[in-house]
Amino acid sequence: MTASTREALLAELAVVSRRYMASYALFNQALADRLGLHPTDLQCLNLLTLEGGPVTTGRIAELTGLTTGSATRLVDRLERAGHVVRERDPDDRRLVLVATVPERAAEFTRVWDRVGGGWVALFDDLDDSQHALFIDHMRQTMEYGAEQAARLRSGAVRPY
């Protein structure tokens, strides 16, 4: 591959990446609108269904990058909408855990599968090594995105 071919591919990758992120953000907004949720609340609910059990509001703050106060307000909204409940930790009664309401979590998962289920089909023609490459890329992208979000929130990066 020549340097100019690589440069052209990297330039195209930069454009496609931005379009990909915008497309996902717009999909997220449309799904949130359809479910009557704020986009951040939708993604918090998504993350909660992946956690495997009740979590603290502090954990929700970690997952979302929100402050604990904002995470508390997010939980308040999800609780009012009937998606989560607060319960005492059986091992430490001082702790309050946030748990998804099973019926609502199942409903959310069905909607997610119905709308996003075609995503997996996009990978049907790939072999295992290509799947592994995508998984690795997605993990690296998640980590990089979380790092950049933290830098933006801390003021380390100025948007202009």
Side-chain angles (χ1 to χ4, degrees):
M1 176 182 319
T2 67
S4 63
T5 301
R6 181 170 177 80
E7 192 174 295
L9 285 171
L10 290 174
E12 183 179 0
L13 179 61
V15 170
V16 169
S17 295
R18 288 176 59 192
R19 289 185 186 278
Y20 173 81
M21 287 185 276
S23 172
Y24 187 79
L26 295 170
F27 163 75
N28 186 63
Q29 181 68 59
L31 184 55
D33 289 347
R34 183 76 170 135
L35 295 174
L37 296 169
H38 184 279
T40 303
D41 298 3
L42 172 70
Q43 287 309 315
C44 178
L45 188 56
N46 178 37
L47 292 168
L48 287 174
T49 62
L50 297 172
E51 279 295 286
V55 298
T56 64
T57 302
R59 175 67 179 145
I60 290 171
E62 290 173 17
L63 289 169
T64 60
L66 296 171
T67 64
T68 53
S70 293
T72 297
R73 289 187 294 280
L74 186 154
V75 170
D76 290 344
R77 291 190 302 271
L78 288 175
E79 189 174 40
R80 277 194 304 275
H83 290 282
V84 300
V85 293
R86 288 179 168 102
E87 53 189 38
R88 292 278 176 202
D89 184 329
D91 298 326
D92 183 348
R93 303 288 299 156
R94 296 170 297 174
L95 286 178
V96 175
L97 299 175
V98 178
T100 56
V101 173
E103 300 81 23
R104 296 302 300 269
E107 174 186 312
F108 173 81
T109 300
R110 279 192 304 276
V111 169
W112 191 262
D113 289 346
R114 195 168 43 249
V115 177
W119 172 257
V120 174
L122 296 174
F123 298 91
D124 282 348
D125 62 338
L126 303 179
D127 64 34
D128 290 348
S129 67
Q130 291 170 313
H131 287 150
L133 178 68
F134 266 102
I135 291 166
D136 185 53
H137 169 72
M138 287 180 176
R139 281 193 179 120
Q140 288 181 37
T141 301
M142 288 180 336
E143 291 167 10
Y144 181 78
E147 289 168 7
Q148 295 310 307
R151 288 181 65 212
L152 286 165
R153 285 188 192 99
S154 75
V157 176
R158 302 220 187 280
Y160 298 102

